[in-house]
Amino acid sequence: MKISGAGSKSGPVSPRDKTEKSPVNPKFLCRDEVLNRTYKFLGVIDATLQHLQIQDLKLDVDELCSNQEIVEKLEQCVMNWHTHITIIIEEQQKKKPQAPGPLAEIAFWRERKSTLGALSDQLQQPVIQKIMGVITKTHPGIILTLDETTDELNKYLDEAEDNLRFLSTLEGHFMNLATGARFGVILETIPPLMETLQIIWMLSRHYNTNERMVSVMERVAWQLCERVDQAIDVDKLFKEKSEAAISKLRDAKQVLDFWKSSYFEMRSEIEESGSYARWEFDRTRLFERSDYMAGICQDLCNVLQVLAEFYNIFGPDLKGVTGEPKRIDDVLHSVDHLVLPIKDISFNPFNISKMSSWNIIMGDFDAAAQVIEAEAINIIDEAFKTLRSSAAAFDVLLKFKHIRSREAINSHLMRKFNDILAQFLKEVDNTNEMFEARKDNPPLNRNEPPLAGAIRWVRSLFHRLKRTILPFLKVPEMLKSELIKTVINKYSHSVKFPAFIIFLLSHFKDTSQSKVNLKNGMEFIVNFAPEIREIVSEAKGLVSLGYSVPDLAQRVALQEDKFIRYSHLEISEYGVSGCKRFNWNSLGVSDFIDRSLNTLSKFESVVNQIQKNEQDIDSKLQSMATANLLKFPVPDDSNDLPGVKEFCKHIEQERDTTVSLLSQKYSDIGPLIIKIENLVMDTSSGKAKCMQDYYMDWECKALDCLTKMVLRNIQAFNMVLMGNTPLFQIDAILSAPKIVLQPQSNEIYWLLMQCVRDCVESTKKFVRWMRGTCIECPPQRVGVDMELMTFSFYSEVWQHPQINESAMAVSQTVQRLLFSVDQYLNHWKRYRPLWEKNKTIVHEKFAAKNPSCVMYDEKLQHLSHINQEVKLEPLFKIEHVIFLNLEPLQQTVQEITESWIASLGSLLNRPAKEDLFNLTDELVLLNSCPP
């Protein structure tokens, strides 16, 4: 009740004066008020009847009229009724809704209907009617006075019933405004709320005046403002993450702005129709508070954005450029203090009466922000005068270029490109000086060969400058600088590094050739000259740097392990064998060749068998990756499309068949791998330790194939849903007062999305292998309850980001399809009065005016024209894959139209018959008169 403003208080409350939250006393409920008034009236009746002889009232009216004493008592009784009815009517006229919310308006009319209805029902009791019959015969003047009061009672009761009937259509919308869980619910509620208000404005007999409609809209505006006021707590706002807080403020402002824009949009529609009175309402009452609160939301949003911009500027990057972290922290401390006056305010910022105080706070905030902004610019200027690294400063500028920050600071930063170029010129000079000073004795890493180390050092100097200048040439602000030409010219002419590297490589080529050609026989004891070891080390270092080396040095480097092994052999042990010469005529060569060929043949056979088994596994995995899990019935030319349930059922059956076949193929993979294990290891356990990586590799491939299978199927299903070939049929039916789909939209959505979920869940059929094996893991007992759980690939597949994105795309596609269908069905809403209005009441009111035949004919012609329009409506609508069957809807609307025609015709039949009989009597009378 506090949220909705639907309760009642001891006195009336004006929505215009209600800007702060006020408590609601539960004891003043509408129910108690109705019961109180009803009991009062019943007490009056009981007190009156106690003075009467009840047994005398059992007499008939004539006998009662003959008893003067009873007649006098009955007269007093009727006069008491008149007095009390008059008092209650006057009290009801003085009453106002007891709360500022829109639900209070409905509660007000519901209370009035209950109170007046109870009076009306009491007056219809047999004993009351008998008393009134007696007084009618004895003193008709008293009854005439009572009848006038009773007519007034019925008039107000009819007004209450009519208003309650129309306002009840708004109750669900009002509840959404009062208790909706989020602003999105309120945004979705405002358009249908406005549409319903328009209908009430056009059709209601009592809410078609400015004051009545403004009163309801003013209450709606109050409710929206209250929801924003309750949701936006300034103190808590600055404790949340800035993105979440800004989002909340934007949503709140959107609600308030959308309320105003929806009003003017509906106002324009009414003006364009030209059929009803325009909405010329008091905009101050409707929008003054909401506009002000929207402005406050924008102010708070701006404050949070300013804080975020300052935090973006004074971050680690700026600390790295300036080298003064303490000064940056001091500025951040000032930024933190910016919001203290806002967090510590003693009033509600949404209170419009506090506008001047709020403006002062915001003015102080802007002034303080400008001071911090000036300090930031000063820090940046000082930092860029003493740059330590042009590359680091350049990276910072590029980051700030794409990071949201204060416009003035950002603009100032963008003007610092000249300082970066000046720093780069200094770095070029320093690099050249370092090269000249240490090129003859460059710094080397530990165990690094001299030549490769020198080249590595020279390349690092060159690449450091190159990595710095190349990004400069891609930034438009750099190319516009006056220093850019000087920088490029100095970089091109002063760098001598490539020529020095070429010199070092040429020197290595010459020295390596001479060292490798040394006569090893000169020193029989040493099998591996130390110079060759140096050549191997240099060759490996140069290759790692990307340079080519002489072929001779490359061949030596490739045999490094053999040469090292030979160099450590004992001469006493291997000297004779090492000096023995073997040639192709030796007796052992033929035997060696036979054994080698036999071994190669066996090895080739094993390799072929392994490759065949791996091809079989790949084939099974490929069939999994390319499987179609969303097979749907192909439409034929008969236009006999299945319903959406049959469509999804067919997909489910096909998928179950396909998954069953695939799971069998997957189960066959483990035995194939065991065959490979048998060929390699001569075991068949499926648990060989040396093959654990091999098992894991195939299991990863299986997961990859299942992921591709699910992803491809979901994406293909989304493409099918976006196609233009109808695949299933849904019916549009009339379920008064709404036009709905059969099945309903939410059921269609969940049926189609279930196909996607089942596609993902089909991976539960593929059981994971036990760790370090290729054997399927049996169900395991997991958790406190020790429930059996089967470990499958499902847990990895459903978390795959691309699969989740594709599923979300399918969800959005289905929602768009259903939205398009709903939009199309809006066309049928123009026939809505046919089933929303009570044709009996409408026609009886029309007949009560004693219309002429011409007026009957006009109404019948109008209904006949509507009936013809309904007949000409298309029987179906194709919306991408949906075949929307409109025939049930058309038939129902046509039947309703024909029932209106029949009802009106029956009313015309009665006066026509009477006129015919009267004419017949006149003709008979004329015929009987003498000539």
Side-chain angles (χ1 to χ4, degrees), residues 233-246 248 304 307 339-340 343-344:
D233 188 322
V234 174
D235 185 48
K236 294 180 180 178
L237 198 67
F238 291 98
K239 296 178 181 178
E240 300 176 6
K241 292 184 178 180
S242 60
E243 297 83 359
I246 291 173
K248 182 188 292 185
L304 290 171
L307 294 180
V339 295
L340 291 182
K343 294 168 66 175
D344 297 338

Side-chain angles (χ1 to χ4, degrees), residues 524 569-580:
F524 183 79
L569 293 178
E570 292 289 338
I571 296 299
S572 60
E573 183 179 353
Y574 298 100
V576 177
S577 299
C579 296
K580 188 175 181 180

Side-chain angles (χ1 to χ4, degrees), residues 341-606:
I342 300 175
K343 294 168 66 175
D344 297 338
I345 58 175
S346 59
F347 59 87
N348 184 357
F350 291 118
N351 189 341
I352 196 171
S353 64
K354 303 294 183 179
M355 181 189 299
S356 58
S357 300
W358 177 256
N359 289 337
I360 292 173
I361 290 175
M362 290 308 300
D364 293 342
F365 176 85
D366 292 337
Q370 290 177 1
V371 172
I372 296 176
E373 188 177 271
E375 175 66 12
I377 292 174
N378 185 35
I379 292 174
I380 292 168
D381 286 340
E382 293 178 4
F384 275 86
K385 290 178 182 177
T386 57
L387 284 177
R388 294 181 294 173
S389 168
S390 60
F394 179 74
D395 290 340
V396 171
L397 283 187
L398 289 186
K399 288 180 181 178
F400 283 124
K401 186 178 181 181
H402 302 291
I403 291 177
R404 179 179 178 85
S405 61
R406 301 290 290 170
E407 183 177 353
I409 298 176
N410 230 21
S411 301
H412 196 75
L413 279 168
M414 292 303 106
R415 292 196 290 271
K416 294 299 177 182
F417 286 109
N418 277 341
D419 295 341
I420 293 175
L421 290 175
Q423 174 63 25
F424 179 71
L425 288 174
K426 295 178 182 178
E427 293 173 4
V428 172
D429 292 336
N430 292 337
T431 302
N432 284 326
E433 291 174 4
M434 184 187 299
F435 171 75
E436 294 296 334
R438 306 199 63 177
K439 67 178 180 179
D440 296 328
N441 186 24
L444 301 177
N445 296 326
R446 184 177 181 183
N447 297 327
E448 190 175 29
L451 182 66
I455 294 176
R456 189 265 314 154
W457 174 71
V458 173
R459 283 183 57 178
S460 68
L461 296 177
F462 175 73
H463 288 162
R464 187 185 307 163
L465 295 177
K466 185 178 180 181
R467 283 195 302 268
T468 303
I469 193 172
L470 287 181
F472 291 176
L473 304 178
K474 299 177 182 179
V475 178
E477 289 84 354
M478 283 289 197
L479 297 177
K480 295 177 182 178
S481 174
E482 298 176 356
L483 288 176
I484 191 64
K485 292 182 179 180
T486 305
V487 168
I488 294 174
N489 185 54
K490 192 166 189 178
Y491 170 79
S492 301
H493 290 84
S494 63
V495 177
K496 305 174 182 178
F497 309 141
F500 183 74
I501 292 174
I502 293 173
F503 167 77
L504 293 177
L505 289 173
S506 177
H507 177 70
F508 172 74
K509 183 177 180 181
D510 296 336
T511 56
S512 64
Q513 186 71 26
S514 62
K515 288 180 181 179
V516 172
N517 288 332
L518 289 174
K519 299 290 186 178
N520 288 336
M522 295 296 292
E523 296 180 347
F524 183 79
I525 296 174
V526 180
N527 195 26
F528 190 77
E531 294 84 358
I532 297 179
R533 187 186 297 273
E534 181 181 339
I535 291 173
V536 171
S537 179
E538 294 284 6
K540 291 170 66 177
L542 292 174
V543 169
S544 66
L545 293 173
Y547 295 104
S548 62
V549 297
D551 292 340
L552 186 57
Q554 187 175 3
R555 289 197 298 272
V556 171
L558 292 174
Q559 300 181 75
E560 178 188 14
D561 293 337
K562 184 177 70 174
F563 289 156
I564 291 175
R565 187 172 67 252
Y566 287 168
S567 67
H568 290 84
L569 293 178
E570 292 289 338
I571 296 299
S572 60
E573 183 179 353
Y574 298 100
V576 177
S577 299
C579 296
K580 188 175 181 180
R581 182 186 297 268
F582 286 89
N583 55 42
W584 291 106
N585 295 321
S586 299
L587 295 177
V589 172
S590 177
D591 182 61
F592 171 78
I593 293 174
D594 291 338
R595 290 198 309 269
S596 299
L597 291 176
N598 185 40
T599 303
L600 287 174
S601 177
K602 290 180 179 179
F603 180 75
E604 183 178 8
S605 175
V606 171

Side-chain angles (χ1 to χ4, degrees), residues 54 156 260 315 348 420 463 466 479 505 616 619-620 651 871 913 923:
I54 301 302
Y156 289 126
K260 186 173 183 179
N348 184 357
I420 293 175
H463 288 162
K466 185 178 180 181
L479 297 177
L505 289 173
D616 291 340
S619 175
K620 296 179 184 298
I651 291 177
K871 288 181 180 179
K913 277 187 177 181
L923 292 175

